[in-house]
Amino acid sequence: MRRRQAALFAALAFATSAFAADPTPVGTWTTIDDATGKPKSIVQISEAGGKLEGRVLEVLQSDQGPHPVCKECSGDRRNQPIEGMLILWDVARDGDVWDGGRILDPHNGKIYKVKLTVTDEGRKLDVHGYIGFSLLGRSQTWIRQDAAAQAKN
């Protein structure tokens, strides 16, 4: 009888710890262009002070060639290299989604509200940028870097 109780307790503890380990957007992602379906850049999302921020590590595809700059950006970002640029900031968890922050589209220099949803057991990230209502806007699916490497194998 004690073995059954111990086995049941172990199973419940494992299930509880697995449930508590919800996947988060923190990590390295390959962005996928929503128009072409091709990989566009590598973005590192990290947590700072309870908020998420994302920085471009590498641009994989650009109309400007290697090492593009943000020609359409305004302010301090104008004509600055996109690689190394902070493009996602002030995103906070709200249940199963992360929102409340902003995302920059370096292609057109516009800043949008953003909502992030982790899908496919943490392997994909739905990135939805919008102005006004979240029903309007556009979405991209980003692939977690380690998941992209596994898909190639």
Side-chain angles (χ1 to χ4, degrees):
M1 185 65 137
R2 287 189 183 244
R3 277 191 200 171
R4 280 188 180 167
Q5 288 175 337
L8 180 61
F9 178 74
L12 286 173
F14 177 75
T16 302
S17 67
F19 180 74
D22 289 336
T24 74
V26 173
T28 306
W29 300 89
T30 301
T31 69
I32 307 297
D33 187 283
D34 53 324
T36 67
K38 295 181 179 180
K40 193 156 188 164
S41 64
I42 307 295
V43 173
Q44 176 72 49
I45 297 179
S46 58
E47 186 173 350
K51 304 271 181 148
L52 299 180
E53 61 182 32
R55 191 170 300 276
V56 177
L57 297 179
E58 181 181 0
V59 175
L60 303 173
Q61 178 185 5
S62 169
D63 298 339
Q64 297 179 36
H67 312 295
V69 297
C70 196
K71 291 179 181 179
E72 302 298 324
C73 287
S74 60
D76 293 343
R77 290 185 177 97
R78 184 171 188 79
N79 292 320
Q80 294 301 308
I82 294 172
E83 290 176 340
M85 186 175 284
L86 188 70
I87 62 161
L88 178 76
W89 61 92
D90 287 338
V91 181
R93 186 173 193 151
D94 184 13
D96 290 341
V97 300
W98 286 259
D99 63 11
R102 301 288 185 262
I103 190 166
L104 165 73
D105 181 347
H107 182 72
N108 63 21
K110 292 183 180 178
I111 296 174
Y112 302 92
K113 294 178 182 177
V114 68
K115 182 162 76 169
L116 307 175
T117 307
V118 179
T119 63
D120 198 14
E121 297 176 354
R123 291 185 289 267
K124 294 181 181 177
L125 183 65
D126 178 60
V127 179
H128 183 69
Y130 60 97
I131 295 175
F133 300 101
S134 67
L135 295 175
L136 305 174
R138 73 183 235 227
S139 293
Q140 289 184 340
T141 299
W142 295 3
I143 308 296
R144 193 175 294 273
Q145 269 257 296
D146 55 359
Q150 288 174 357
K152 289 180 183 177
N153 294 335

